């Protein structure tokens, strides 16, 4: 049995242990959906980090920097700064006025059924798209990391999918939280060790590392070229590079505060103050992590080299290959296991957010008008939803295959969150004149415009040359109608605008009356859901 | 007038909301301006930003790195403001006391 596989199994054993422990403590709604609201500030800070830093961050950004230098680091910056939006405007009022989902806040003073139905649709869209991207990535990656063990793509996808179902169905939010905490600790330690080794390689002289990064030789379109990786513009090229950067920035800055799987983490703590403290902890960890992505990326570019990485599995393998080059097979196995843990923690978070929204928003409140027919029904529905969401994701990921071009789904998730979710969350909390029609218009316009623009963007539409493999080709082989990779710059203003226009074209005195109540709740914590 | 409305229109609550709004708006406007200056400068003036500034590091890299410090600094400042607002909220709730809304159960 290969060393990476052994470490994977050790992690699986540990997380199944956590799930077994959590299973005994996850009966009842509050326990299943919100871990009893007993998670402490630093624990939730770690769990938010674990929920947020996906394999796309750990492997993807390290890879982007290893191949394009500076431009990859732009993601890192946006991923941290985005938490200011979470901290300043969303975390505390959400904790004070909601129960289990983002839609709780919207439904507070608006008409429950239309608002929850659209919010659930948006949540399921964000979570499943994000999940499919993670699953395809996971399958390709795990089969690559475990190349020596004869585990193929299909087995890897099925394994990841079954594990996330088990965590959520049996252990609920409590197991998910602790899997995320363990992953965050592993990820931070792995990244820290790698960074120290990279710096040691350059004699702990940052200037030496930067100097090496200004002079990277690689193959590009069949020719050998030398590039300066400290310079911007290698990934986001003219004519649309600058606009694409801004569009990406908007999706990150406004999208993070609308990601349902992040928002529901604030319901797991006892009060708004703890929610705030947990964001602060998360910002320290997430910031430290994203600064270190430079060392990982530049380290991989200078010590391993882009061509060597291409020959051994491609961009996503940059960090593991760097580990191998610096400290051999054991460290490679450890970093691979960290990547595996990263994937599992994120997909578990997505699964529980999708199932909570379906059970709480759609099943209980849209289909059954908020009256639970039998005790424990909402949890039962959530468990079934987790099973179905997991099974469907496994099937879709297997159907798409390991080479499918799905990275754009992550960008799409952020764009939908920024364009559909954030405007309505903000207006619910801060604008008295906001109405149900405004919420439905905002959610629909944000959701449809993001998805629509992605479909006609270069991620989905474009003419691939003959060198691109059949399975990796873009879905529509024609010139893209929308030139940017990210829809944010158009869809976010559209989402806000639709919410405003929809509100101004309607009147809802009951929503205005309830504004006082929501404001007082959101700002003082009076009547907020209690721990226990 | 409901009990919620009573708290809402009371002077201490109005004062807290005004101060909160001022602080949060100022910080939000600042961080958004500071953040979007990065893609603007790097996107439209890449040559300028590629000049070396400090050792081997260029302006683009230093400005990107400063975003991390900015985010942490704003977070710290907000945490300090927030504990003041916590105290104001506690006082408001204590005042509303027995006559306040019975919204305890949630």
């Amino acid at each position: 049995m290969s060393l990476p596989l052994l470490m994977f199994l050790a992690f699986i054993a540990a997380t199944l242990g956590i799930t077994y422990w959590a299973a005994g403590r996850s009966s009842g709604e509050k326990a299943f959906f919100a871990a009893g609201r007993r998670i402490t500030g630093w624990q939730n800070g770690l769990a938010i980090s674990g929920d947020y830093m996906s394999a796309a961050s750990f492997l993807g950004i390290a890879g982007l920097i290893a191949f394009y230098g500076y431009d990859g680091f732009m993601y890192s910056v946006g991923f941290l700064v985005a938490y200011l939006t979470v901290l300043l405007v969303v975390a505390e009022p959400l904790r004070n006025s909601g129960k289990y989902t983002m839609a709780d806040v919207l439904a507070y003073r608006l008409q429950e059924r239309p608002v929850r139905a659209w919010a659930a649709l948006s949540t399921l869209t964000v979570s499943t798209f994000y999940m499919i991207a993670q699953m395809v990535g996971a399958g390709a990656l795990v089969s690559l990391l475990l190349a020596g063990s004869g585990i193929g793509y299909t087995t890897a996808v099925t394994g990841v999918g079954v594990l996330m179902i088990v965590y959520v169905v049996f252990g609920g939010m409590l197991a998910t939280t602790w899997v995320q905490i363990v992953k965050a600790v592993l990820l931070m330690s792995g990244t820290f060790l790698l960074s120290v080794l990279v710096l040691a390689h350059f004699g702990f002289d940052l200037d030496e590392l930067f100097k090496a990064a200004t002079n990277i030789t690689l193959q590009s379109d069949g020719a050998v070229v030398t590039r300066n990786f400290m310079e911007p513009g290698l990934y986001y090229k003219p004519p649309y590079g600058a606009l694409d950067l801004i569009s990406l920035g908007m999706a990150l800055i406004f999208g993070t505060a609308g990601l349902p799987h992040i928002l529901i983490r604030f319901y797991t703590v006892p009060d708004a103050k703890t929610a705030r403290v947990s964001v602060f902890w998360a910002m320290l960890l997430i910031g430290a992590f994203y600064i270190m992505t430079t060392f990982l990326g530049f380290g991989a570019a200078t010590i391993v080299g882009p061509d060597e990485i291409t020959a051994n599995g491609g961009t996503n393998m940059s960090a593991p290959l760097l580990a191998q080059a610096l400290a051999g097979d054991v460290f490679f196995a450890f970093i691979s296991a960290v990547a595996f843990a990263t994937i599992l923690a994120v997909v578990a978070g997505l699964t529980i957010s999708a199932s909570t929204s379906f059970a709480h928003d759609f099943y209980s409140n849209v289909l059954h008008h908020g009256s639970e027919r039998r005790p424990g029904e909402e949890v039962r529905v959530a468990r079934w939803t987790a099973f179905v969401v997991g099974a469907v994701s496994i099937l879709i990921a297997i159907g798409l295959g390991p080479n499918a071009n799905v990275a754009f789904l992550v960008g799409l998730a952020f764009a939908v969150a920024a364009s559909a979710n954030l405007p309505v969350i903000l207006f619910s909390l801060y604008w008295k004149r906001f109405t149900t029609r405004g919420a439905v218009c905002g959610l629909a316009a944000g959701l449809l415009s993001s998805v629509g623009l992605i479909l006609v963007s270069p991620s989905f539409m474009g003419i691939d040359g003959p060198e691109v493999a059949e399975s990796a080709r873009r879905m529509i082989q024609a010139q893209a109608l929308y030139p940017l990779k990210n829809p944010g710059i158009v869809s976010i203003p559209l989402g806000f605008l639709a919410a405003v226009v929809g509100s101004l074209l309607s009147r809802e005195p009951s929503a205005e009356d309830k504004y006082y109540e929501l404001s007082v709740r959101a700002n003082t914590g009076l009547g907020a859901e209690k721990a226990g | 007038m409901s009990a919620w409305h009573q708290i809402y229109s009371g002077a201490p609550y109005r004062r807290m909301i005004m101060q909160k709004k001022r602080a949060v708006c100022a910080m939000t406007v600042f961080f958004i301006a500071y953040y979007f200056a990065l893609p603007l400068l790097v996107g439209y003036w890449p040559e300028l930003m590629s000049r070396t500034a400090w050792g081997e590091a260029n302006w683009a890299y230093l400005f990107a790195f400063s975003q991390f410090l900015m985010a942490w600094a704003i977070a710290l400042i907000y945490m300090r403001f927030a504990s003041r607002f916590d105290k104001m909220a506690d006082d408001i709730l204590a005042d509303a006391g027995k006559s306040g809304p019975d919204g305890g159960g949630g």
Side-chain angles (χ1 to χ4, degrees):
Chain A
M1 194 186 287
S2 75
L3 205 50
L5 184 60
L6 260 178
M7 292 208 187
F8 280 38
L9 291 176
F11 179 76
I12 294 175
T15 52
L16 289 179
I18 290 174
T19 309
Y20 180 77
W21 165 81
R25 291 162 176 74
S26 290
S27 54
E29 245 180 54
K30 199 181 281 187
F32 184 84
F33 291 125
R37 307 194 202 285
R38 285 212 200 93
I39 304 294
T40 67
W42 65 268
Q43 288 169 353
N44 199 41
L46 274 166
I48 292 170
S49 319
D51 203 6
Y52 187 61
M53 298 187 291
S54 61
S57 300
F58 180 48
L59 303 169
I61 294 182
L64 265 177
I65 300 179
F67 277 74
Y68 301 99
Y70 182 84
D71 282 7
F73 193 47
M74 293 295 284
Y75 279 90
S76 298
V77 173
F79 278 133
L80 172 70
V81 177
Y83 270 86
L84 284 175
T85 319
V86 179
L87 177 69
L88 294 176
V89 289
V90 174
E92 295 167 66
L94 185 89
R95 172 62 187 85
N96 272 338
S97 45
K99 205 171 169 191
Y100 299 128
T101 62
M102 165 192 98
D104 287 343
V105 178
L106 314 183
Y108 198 88
R109 58 195 191 97
L110 306 178
Q111 288 165 39
E112 195 125 20
R113 295 182 76 194
V115 167
R116 280 197 196 267
W118 277 97
L121 182 64
S122 169
T123 299
L124 286 170
T125 308
V126 171
S127 302
T128 43
F129 283 1
Y130 205 106
M131 179 127 64
I132 290 164
Q134 298 282 333
M135 297 278 281
V136 171
L141 192 79
V142 172
S143 52
L144 212 54
L145 296 170
L146 297 181
S149 313
I151 288 185
Y153 176 81
T154 309
T155 320
V157 168
T158 314
V160 167
V162 167
L163 280 169
M164 80 189 184
I165 294 173
V166 168
Y167 298 151
V168 173
V169 169
F170 295 106
M173 189 48 133
L174 189 60
T176 305
T177 303
W178 281 97
V179 170
Q180 288 168 346
I181 292 176
V182 171
K183 165 266 177 92
V185 172
L186 282 174
L187 181 63
M188 292 307 289
S189 349
T191 312
F192 181 74
L193 278 173
L194 256 179
S195 302
V196 170
L197 287 173
V198 168
L199 288 173
H201 183 90
F202 289 97
F204 291 100
D205 186 348
L206 260 183
D207 260 1
E208 287 297 316
L209 170 64
F210 288 158
K211 203 182 287 171
T214 57
N215 190 13
I216 308 273
T217 310
L218 69 154
Q219 297 262 354
S220 176
D221 297 327
V224 178
V225 291
T226 301
R227 296 232 164 98
N228 180 351
F229 271 27
M230 293 292 285
E231 272 179 10
L234 296 179
Y235 186 70
Y236 288 103
K237 297 190 189 93
Y240 295 112
L243 277 181
D244 234 336
L245 268 181
I246 294 168
S247 193
L248 168 77
M250 287 177 73
L252 296 180
I253 297 291
F254 301 118
T256 304
L259 287 177
H261 66 289
I262 299 297
L263 296 179
I264 59 167
R265 289 237 47 92
F266 298 120
Y267 294 126
T268 66
V269 296
D271 52 29
K273 187 168 187 256
T274 318
R276 179 205 310 151
V277 171
S278 71
V279 186
F280 189 73
W281 276 106
M283 284 184 74
L284 286 180
L285 292 165
I286 292 170
F289 172 80
Y290 282 111
I291 288 177
M292 291 191 286
T293 55
T294 333
F295 306 136
L296 268 52
F298 282 164
T302 53
I303 298 167
V304 186
D307 293 341
E308 183 69 22
I309 300 170
T310 309
N312 287 294
T315 46
N316 278 336
M317 288 297 283
S318 303
L321 288 173
L322 175 66
Q324 191 162 37
L326 286 169
D329 287 343
V330 177
F331 199 46
F332 171 82
F334 175 66
I335 291 298
S336 303
V338 168
F340 181 63
T342 294
I343 292 165
L344 281 177
V346 173
V347 290
L350 292 167
T351 308
I352 196 155
S353 108
S355 12
T356 306
S357 177
F358 183 82
H360 181 65
D361 296 327
F362 197 76
Y363 184 83
S364 286
N365 286 303
V366 176
L367 291 185
H368 295 112
H369 301 268
S371 58
E372 201 175 30
R373 293 175 307 171
R374 276 169 297 167
E377 181 155 35
E378 208 167 290
V379 172
R380 203 151 45 238
V381 172
R383 289 189 157 124
W384 276 105
T385 315
F387 182 77
V388 172
V389 165
V392 169
S393 305
I394 294 175
L395 291 177
I396 294 180
I398 290 176
L400 285 172
N403 299 317
N405 188 344
V406 289
F408 69 90
L409 287 175
V410 174
L412 178 60
F414 273 88
V416 172
S419 321
N421 298 353
L422 187 71
V424 296
I425 295 174
L426 287 184
F427 289 144
S428 297
L429 289 168
Y430 301 105
W431 189 29
K432 192 174 151 193
R433 258 299 262 118
F434 192 48
T435 67
T436 302
R437 189 181 295 171
V440 170
C441 289
L443 283 164
L447 181 61
L448 298 177
S449 65
S450 324
V451 175
L453 284 170
I454 279 277
L455 288 179
V456 296
S457 79
S459 313
F460 210 77
M461 230 179 146
I463 299 163
D464 290 313
E467 76 281 1
V468 181
E470 190 73 36
S471 57
R473 281 169 177 269
R474 284 175 278 194
M475 312 280 174
I476 306 170
Q477 290 289 318
Q479 201 63 44
L481 299 175
Y482 174 75
L484 307 181
K485 295 188 186 86
N486 199 296
I489 201 167
V490 175
S491 62
I492 297 170
L494 263 179
F496 275 96
L497 190 73
V500 171
V501 171
S503 297
L504 293 179
L505 289 180
S506 55
R507 272 240 92 119
E508 205 171 329
S510 61
E512 290 182 41
D513 280 346
K514 275 206 119 181
Y515 179 74
Y516 309 115
E517 188 176 328
L518 181 64
S519 170
V520 172
R521 272 180 187 263
N523 285 292
T524 63
L526 185 60
E529 293 284 324
K530 299 269 187 307
Chain B
M1 194 155 67
S2 75
W4 296 102
H5 199 166
Q6 240 159 35
I7 299 184
Y8 181 86
S9 41
Y13 188 78
R14 306 304 322 145
R15 195 160 50 239
M16 177 178 83
I17 292 298
M18 281 314 291
Q19 288 185 17
K20 213 172 184 175
K21 204 183 267 177
R22 207 175 310 141
V24 168
C25 282
M27 285 186 259
T28 306
V29 168
F30 176 81
F31 98 74
I32 287 184
Y34 194 90
Y35 173 73
F36 282 102
L38 179 68
L40 277 172
L41 286 171
V42 164
Y44 289 104
W45 290 278
E47 294 83 17
L48 183 79
M49 299 300 283
S50 299
R51 290 192 197 155
T52 51
W54 188 58
E56 289 291 327
N58 56 21
W59 287 108
Y61 191 83
L62 287 183
F63 192 33
F65 182 72
S66 78
Q67 299 275 345
F68 288 85
L69 304 181
M70 181 277 293
W72 283 332
I74 300 247
L76 253 182
I77 296 170
Y78 175 75
M79 296 302 279
R80 301 197 59 169
F81 268 103
S83 38
R84 209 167 79 198
F85 295 135
D86 281 349
K87 230 193 130 296
M88 291 173 90
D90 288 346
D91 290 346
I92 291 166
L93 292 186
D95 272 354
K98 303 120 223 162
S99 63
D102 51 356

